[in-house]
Amino acid sequence: MTKNPPDIRPSRIAHAGLRQKIMSADAAAAFIENGDHVGMSGFTGAGYPKAIPLALAQHIHAHHDAGKPFRIGVWTGASTAPELDGALATVGGMDMRLPYQSDPTCRARINDGEMAYIDIHLSHVAQYVWFGFLGKLNVAVIEVAGVLEDGRLIPATSVGNNKTWLDQADKVILEVNYGHNLGLEGMHDIYYGTERPPHRKPIPMTHAGDRIGEPYLHCDPSKVIAIVETHLPDRDTRFAAPDEASKRIAEHLMAFLQEEVALGRLPPELLPLQSGVGNIANAVMESLNEGPFNNLQGYTEVLQDGMLAMLESGRMSMASATALSFSAPVMEAFLANIDFYRERIVLRPQEISNHPEVIRRLGIIAMNGMIEADLYGNVNSTHVMGTRIMNGIGGSGDFARNAYLSVFMTPSTAKGGSISCIVPMVSHVDHTEHDVQIVVTEQGLADLRGLSPRQRSRRIIERCAHPDFKPALLDYVERSEANARAGHAGMHTPHLLDEALSWHSQFEKTGSMLKAGEAPLS
């Protein structure tokens, strides 16, 4: 049984009626029924419920032991943590997961066909629910930092889809987490002006730091069926120190941005920056923090260690996001100076942080990771060998399609050099060549703007491919073009269809994309 935390008064539940609904996590989890669609808070390991999913996993396990079916659909903002995704996946408690996940147990069940998974652009999730595309949302389970006397909610370290879950769910369960610093109050900007077609109006934002909403979430108190008090930390997001490949990717990108400023295509302070999650992203932020640009702004999904360091140094003046995802030491520094950061950070619903209209208007520089790119600039950011989901598209498509500059980054090889991340044809397409402008590996940077497909192929091979694979890629392109000239295919985007995915099939058979007898050049 999940135990209640020790006495954690004074109470953060100022609403007298809602204080009467405080109960254990076990009692609250019992309100969730087999077959329910459950909207849970959480975005990239921040602001997710921690006690109720664990208690729910115990309930599900007991049902399964008794031979009774019990599976639910779980909708979140993005990835969560072992206490949620991991616990529910371990007991086989999820029949459907959306819109993004990164838990290894969850991933394994999806790839084994034991769990359905819908990979959705993060900006689309809230409106899909409003429109009824996903069915009824039965229960919302939302972590908050506190409840005001009038029932408004102090958001926690992420906003994600919480506004939509609270509005659309039939029943609401709150986790009030005393582990969150109340200095978060005032950092959020919850916009309630979103309308459905045909009544939509422009989002009134012209600068990354604009506040267009209010600091609190609304919830009808009559829908709240349970409140659980906790005192538990967010997931400790650990980042390795940037490796040599990440540093070289960052160096190539820095040189490119400086050249764009010199050519007058970017202002000296650049444009608002969006950065994906991970070590390469933090390496880029570290380089920017040491670089020549000042008065930078961030407009992104997740605020990580690197961007917080830029705020601390003064290199960045403000940052907008939907979640905070820090390593433990950086979270400690953030909390120690929270008044400083509250003036410089805005946390928004993901329907605003990822809104295509706003991204286009602000002119975002979007920098995201990928699994592989092909010779013409198509990018796979989600599937290993075309079939096995890794995490999901997340918000990369929201930004790439609408950005002023769309950048995708990866080391040129994977699995110790046995996989080339530049391939003849990607095994799965998340971002088409029409949405990809810049490809960067540790080998170099390929600026694809203004190039035809065949011009792109030469640029990508020359600048981005690893030397071990460059000769084979050039050979593929030359033979594809010769085949087209012979009248066997079109010249616009030449391919050898019987070979286009042969690199992937060879890896599946032999464990390497290098042909038998080929030795690495490096």
Side-chain angles (χ1 to χ4, degrees), residues 131-354:
F131 300 162
F133 292 173
L134 304 176
K136 183 62 182 173
L137 182 61
N138 304 106
V139 185
V141 182
I142 309 297
E143 182 182 81
V144 297
V147 182
L148 301 183
E149 190 172 1
D150 60 5
R152 288 179 297 168
L153 309 176
I154 303 171
T157 46
S158 71
V159 181
N161 286 314
N162 295 353
K163 177 179 76 71
T164 298
W165 298 166
L166 291 166
D167 177 61
Q168 294 293 313
D170 291 333
K171 298 177 286 189
V172 173
I173 301 173
L174 300 176
E175 274 199 19
V176 178
N177 189 345
Y178 292 68
H180 290 305
N181 193 309
L182 282 179
L184 289 169
E185 187 173 2
M187 191 175 287
H188 307 84
D189 186 62
I190 314 301
Y191 180 62
Y192 279 94
T194 307
E195 300 285 350
R196 303 184 190 189
H199 305 294
R200 278 186 167 163
K201 298 176 182 177
I203 305 297
M205 287 185 65
T206 56
H207 298 89
D210 286 349
R211 288 182 174 271
I212 60 174
E214 55 187 277
Y216 305 105
L217 290 161
H218 294 176
C219 179
D220 180 354
S222 68
K223 294 205 302 185
V224 178
I225 58 174
I227 295 182
V228 175
E229 295 177 299
T230 65
H231 197 297
L232 299 166
D234 279 338
R235 183 184 75 193
D236 179 8
T237 304
R238 299 174 184 268
F239 296 105
D243 60 14
E244 190 58 34
S246 297
K247 290 178 181 178
R248 289 173 64 185
I249 289 169
E251 289 170 4
H252 295 315
L253 189 54
M254 285 293 296
F256 167 76
L257 293 173
Q258 290 179 70
E259 183 179 2
E260 289 295 292
V261 171
L263 292 171
R265 295 197 289 233
L266 282 174
E269 67 278 13
L270 304 182
L271 289 167
L273 303 170
Q274 177 263 338
S275 176
V277 176
N279 295 324
I280 293 177
N282 272 312
V284 171
M285 293 300 110
E286 186 176 297
S287 292
L288 284 165
N289 202 22
E290 298 169 354
F293 308 113
N294 291 296
N295 199 30
L296 298 169
Q297 296 190 344
Y299 193 86
T300 191
E301 303 162 291
V302 181
L303 201 62
Q304 295 185 97
D305 289 10
M307 204 169 277
L308 195 78
M310 295 173 70
L311 288 168
E312 181 182 3
S313 70
R315 189 73 70 176
M316 179 172 280
S317 59
M318 69 78 49
S320 168
T322 193
L324 307 174
S325 188
F326 302 138
S327 63
V330 171
M331 176 59 81
E332 185 177 342
F334 167 78
L335 294 174
N337 205 11
I338 197 167
D339 292 339
F340 170 86
Y341 291 116
R342 190 169 53 249
E343 300 301 315
R344 293 162 176 81
I345 294 173
V346 184
L347 295 179
R348 311 180 189 277
Q350 71 191 63
E351 66 196 75
I352 301 299
S353 69
N354 291 52

Side-chain angles (χ1 to χ4, degrees), residues 325-477:
S325 188
F326 302 138
S327 63
V330 171
M331 176 59 81
E332 185 177 342
F334 167 78
L335 294 174
N337 205 11
I338 197 167
D339 292 339
F340 170 86
Y341 291 116
R342 190 169 53 249
E343 300 301 315
R344 293 162 176 81
I345 294 173
V346 184
L347 295 179
R348 311 180 189 277
Q350 71 191 63
E351 66 196 75
I352 301 299
S353 69
N354 291 52
H355 200 292
E357 175 194 340
V358 177
I359 293 167
R360 178 69 64 88
R361 183 182 301 129
L362 298 182
I364 304 299
I365 298 174
M367 300 174 287
N368 289 285
M370 62 179 178
I371 290 174
E372 61 184 2
D374 68 23
L375 300 176
Y376 301 113
N378 300 291
V379 163
N380 167 20
S381 62
T382 61
H383 284 73
V384 176
M385 296 296 134
T387 62
R388 297 187 289 277
I389 190 74
M390 190 64 185
N391 297 326
I393 195 169
S396 58
D398 297 325
F399 284 91
R401 186 73 184 272
N402 300 285
Y404 182 86
L405 285 174
S406 172
V407 180
F408 283 93
M409 309 173 289
T410 184
S412 62
T413 62
K415 293 289 184 184
S418 61
I419 291 177
S420 175
C421 297
I422 305 298
V423 294
M425 178 184 284
V426 289
S427 57
H428 176 90
V429 181
D430 292 291
H431 313 279
T432 73
E433 61 184 278
H434 312 291
D435 301 331
V436 179
Q437 297 173 325
I438 314 295
V439 174
V440 195
T441 72
E442 83 285 0
Q443 302 296 325
L445 180 148
D447 182 354
L448 307 179
R449 293 172 298 175
L451 301 183
S452 70
R454 285 190 292 141
Q455 292 170 330
R456 283 175 165 231
S457 68
R458 294 305 202 281
R459 180 70 58 85
I460 290 172
I461 295 171
E462 174 190 347
R463 302 286 176 83
C464 297
H466 191 278
D468 289 353
F469 293 96
K470 189 176 290 187
L473 288 166
L474 282 169
D475 175 67
Y476 177 86
V477 166

